[in-house]
Amino acid sequence: MNPPVETLEYNTERSKLIIPEYGRHFQKMVDYAVSIEDEEERNRIAQAIISVMGNIQPHLRDVPDFQHKLWDQLFIMSDFKLDVKSPFPITSQETLQKRPDPLEYPQNHPKYRFYGNNIKRMIDVAVKWEKGDMRDGLEYTIANHMKKCYLNWNKDTVDDKAIFDHLYELSDGQIDLSGENLTDSGQFLKNKVSKSNRSSSKKNSRNNNRGKKRY
């Protein structure tokens, strides 16, 4: 026989779950533990709840830090009203509700945004190297990467002189590659189209295989 409608519980009428991951039954167990007047019984029930919470993730059950986390969660679910003995220092409600200090994010506003911030970092490293074959190779690699970034962002072709001018400016005049020849723009664009085709081919292959039976 079905229970009368008046006895049914609806989520809209229930109290809000403090930690929803544990579900309604866990919250009811915690509420019951809070209501127990006998101190010994209350502590026994709290230990039983911690044990059940640990069973959800048995591989972490005996890890000390994880045990501390479980006790913190138990006090949080009781709205810090549960008066039991904890094997760990009880984290205060004020500490848990304290807002973290704001993070300081680097505020970089590069003149040529299409190169990205890493290019400037690479240039700063290159100018600190001693002049020689190693530095020459790094400078040439940076210039080629700048050209690739320029083509990805801007258009289908770019004059090497524009890249050299930007590199000279970003390095405060310490890197001058005038007269060098960078990788042809067509090669970068060819690689770009090739990657795009491979990506499209993989996507089409996944779509074609979708729904097929596997034996």
Side-chain angles (χ1 to χ4, degrees):
M1 182 177 180
N2 295 328
V5 176
E6 292 79 6
T7 63
L8 296 178
E9 287 185 339
Y10 295 91
N11 284 334
T12 54
E13 299 175 350
R14 292 171 171 173
S15 59
K16 183 179 179 180
L17 290 176
I18 299 177
I19 303 182
E21 296 89 292
Y22 283 108
R24 179 69 56 183
H25 292 299
F26 265 103
Q27 186 63 56
K28 288 183 176 181
M29 285 193 292
V30 175
D31 293 341
Y32 171 70
V34 173
S35 68
I36 298 174
E37 296 183 1
D38 182 73
E39 180 180 355
E40 185 177 346
E41 178 67 9
R42 192 167 58 244
N43 279 278
R44 189 183 68 81
I45 294 298
Q47 290 285 352
I49 294 174
I50 290 292
S51 179
V52 177
M53 292 168 68
N55 285 336
I56 296 177
Q57 302 184 65
H59 60 292
L60 296 173
R61 184 172 51 197
D62 298 322
V63 177
D65 289 343
F66 184 67
Q67 284 284 312
H68 195 174
K69 178 181 178 180
L70 293 181
W71 280 95
D72 281 344
Q73 291 178 336
L74 177 61
F75 287 113
I76 291 171
M77 284 192 288
S78 71
D79 197 21
F80 296 89
K81 297 175 182 177
L82 184 61
D83 182 15
V84 293
K85 296 177 181 178
S86 168
F88 304 96
I90 301 174
T91 306
S92 67
Q93 187 173 8
E94 292 74 18
T95 301
L96 290 172
Q97 293 179 345
K98 182 181 178 182
R99 298 184 64 180
D101 296 330
L103 293 174
E104 294 184 5
Y105 290 95
Q107 299 298 323
N108 295 320
H109 304 285
K111 182 176 181 180
Y112 304 108
R113 297 178 62 184
F114 44 87
Y115 291 134
N117 292 321
N118 287 335
I119 282 291
K120 186 64 174 71
R121 296 189 183 100
M122 293 167 66
I123 293 172
D124 292 341
V125 170
V127 298
K128 294 177 182 178
W129 286 17
E130 293 183 8
K131 292 189 176 182
D133 292 341
M134 292 283 289
R135 174 167 168 172
D136 291 343
L138 178 58
E139 291 175 353
Y140 187 80
T141 300
I142 291 173
N144 256 328
H145 189 65
M146 290 172 64
K147 184 173 183 178
K148 181 180 179 181
C149 292
Y150 191 100
L151 291 170
N152 284 338
W153 179 84
N154 206 14
K155 49 187 177 181
D156 294 337
T157 185
V158 59
D159 188 355
D160 287 353
K161 184 178 182 304
I163 301 297
F164 296 147
D165 289 344
H166 292 167
L167 181 56
Y168 186 83
E169 180 183 353
L170 292 173
S171 66
D172 295 326
Q174 299 185 65
I175 300 179
D176 186 1
L177 296 182
S178 301
E180 296 286 346
N181 293 315
L182 298 177
T183 301
D184 184 75
S185 298
Q187 185 63 43
F188 286 127
L189 296 173
K190 180 181 178 181
N191 293 339
K192 182 179 178 181
V193 172
S194 177
K195 288 181 180 179
S196 176
N197 290 338
R198 285 200 300 269
S199 176
S200 177
S201 176
K202 288 181 179 179
K203 183 177 180 180
N204 291 334
S205 177
R206 286 195 299 268
N207 290 337
N208 292 334
N209 291 331
R210 191 171 296 167
K212 291 183 176 181
K213 292 183 178 180
R214 293 178 172 84
Y215 297 95

